[in-house]
Amino acid sequence: MENIRELFQIMTRRFGFLNKNCCTAGGLDISLIQSHIIYEIDHQFKPSMQQVAEALGTDITTFSRQVQSLIKMNLVKKVPDPDDRRVYILSLTVGGKFVATTIDQQMNAYLNEIFSHMNDFEKETVLRSIKLLNEAMAKSGFCCTTPMG
Amino acid sequence: MENIRELFQIMTRRFGFLNKNCCTAGGLDISLIQSHIIYEIDHQFKPSMQQVAEALGTDITTFSRQVQSLIKMNLVKKVPDPDDRRVYILSLTVGGKFVATTIDQQMNAYLNEIFSHMNDFEKETVLRSIKLLNEAMAKSGFCCTTPMG
DNA sequence: TTAAATTATTTGCATTTTGCAACTATATAC
DNA sequence: GTATATAGTTGCAAAATGCAAATAATTTAA
């Protein structure tokens, strides 16, 4: 069988395309990084800057500036944590939540379109496989969590 | 079941980490984009600049400069096409080929480590699923080929 | 309880990456 | 042979990056 890496290279490249300028939402153009930040804030519970930056593997200084621009765009809010005033808690504004939902729908539409080329059994198998893969990657301290050496 | 997008978001992020500063090869630090370019030149037959840039979804001007730096690093060669002297044919130098091989081995080692957390049946299923997914994405004119609107 | 060390975040650069518009050079059409 | 199209390069100017240093709040330890 072919090289395993080859399969993954093709897959990740295609998803790269899928994500790339994925998103015009609410009349705004959302970059790939921005969409990831919004996604992550939406999925974590009262996350701090660090937590989100860490989850995305972005340098904290770069992240700080990216958050600033999202705040200017009125998509993200930054509130000092009353328990530790060094920390800022990130959250989505109403507009940000709307953008998050819109992007989510767009992505799901893309993905469903892709899955429409499979039968139900194949679709089930593929989804289960991706879950397996995610779990395996989570177990692998080797890689995949935060950029390693 | 969870949102389909969620599965993919997690997966692609993890692979992003995997790829990120993936590669030190032959004493050189190879960036993610550089490794993709090298990969693509290695896999296409006598490709032109356009062809590789297109395959990677990179702007041709950016690509042109990236190739220049790879040439300086002595990994890539650029030879005018005798049939059409506007065109340049890209190829790997011996050093470039070595880097390509090294990266390939590294990535395969990572991937095997990940798969070591699965049994043989799961591994087979996952690989088959990714193949299915790649085929489905190839069929989907919707996305996944070259950046679309 | 206060000085020292630690942690979260921001700013100051300096470098790199990006992409549009304009350019050069070759090839094709009429 | 002039006009048009195509492949690739360069000139900006904007954006993204990341290290080092600054700021501000918290914890540790004497």
Side-chain angles (χ1 to χ4, degrees), chain B residues 49-50 64-65 68 78 86 88:
Chain B
M49 303 271 296
Q50 296 260 13
S64 169
R65 278 179 266 245
Q68 285 169 28
K78 211 177 71 177
R86 292 170 303 181
Y88 285 90

Side-chain angles (χ1 to χ4, degrees), chain A residues 1 8 12 14 58 65-66 80 91 94 117 132 135 137:
Chain A
M1 97 133 61
F8 281 89
T12 52
R14 288 223 168 96
T58 331
R65 279 179 266 246
Q66 272 159 350
S91 60
V94 175
H117 298 278
L132 273 171
E135 285 159 22
M137 287 195 283

Side-chain angles (χ1 to χ4, degrees), chain B residues 15-31:
Chain B
F15 277 110
F17 287 153
L18 189 57
N19 266 318
K20 212 179 219 175
N21 65 322
C22 65
C23 314
T24 309
L28 290 168
D29 272 339
I30 307 296
S31 76

Side-chain angles (χ1 to χ4, degrees), chain B residues 68-119:
Chain B
Q68 285 169 28
S69 73
L70 285 169
I71 290 174
K72 267 196 210 104
M73 294 166 81
N74 226 330
L75 301 176
V76 166
K77 258 181 312 196
K78 211 177 71 177
V79 180
D81 182 344
D83 295 338
D84 182 342
R85 299 207 342 269
R86 292 170 303 181
V87 175
Y88 285 90
I89 303 293
L90 297 174
S91 60
L92 298 182
T93 63
V94 175
K97 188 73 190 167
F98 173 75
V99 166
T101 307
T102 306
I103 293 175
D104 213 54
Q105 284 167 354
Q106 269 180 45
M107 289 296 292
N108 274 307
Y110 286 147
L111 291 169
N112 279 319
E113 203 276 342
I114 292 170
F115 280 113
S116 75
H117 298 276
M118 299 181 198
N119 64 42

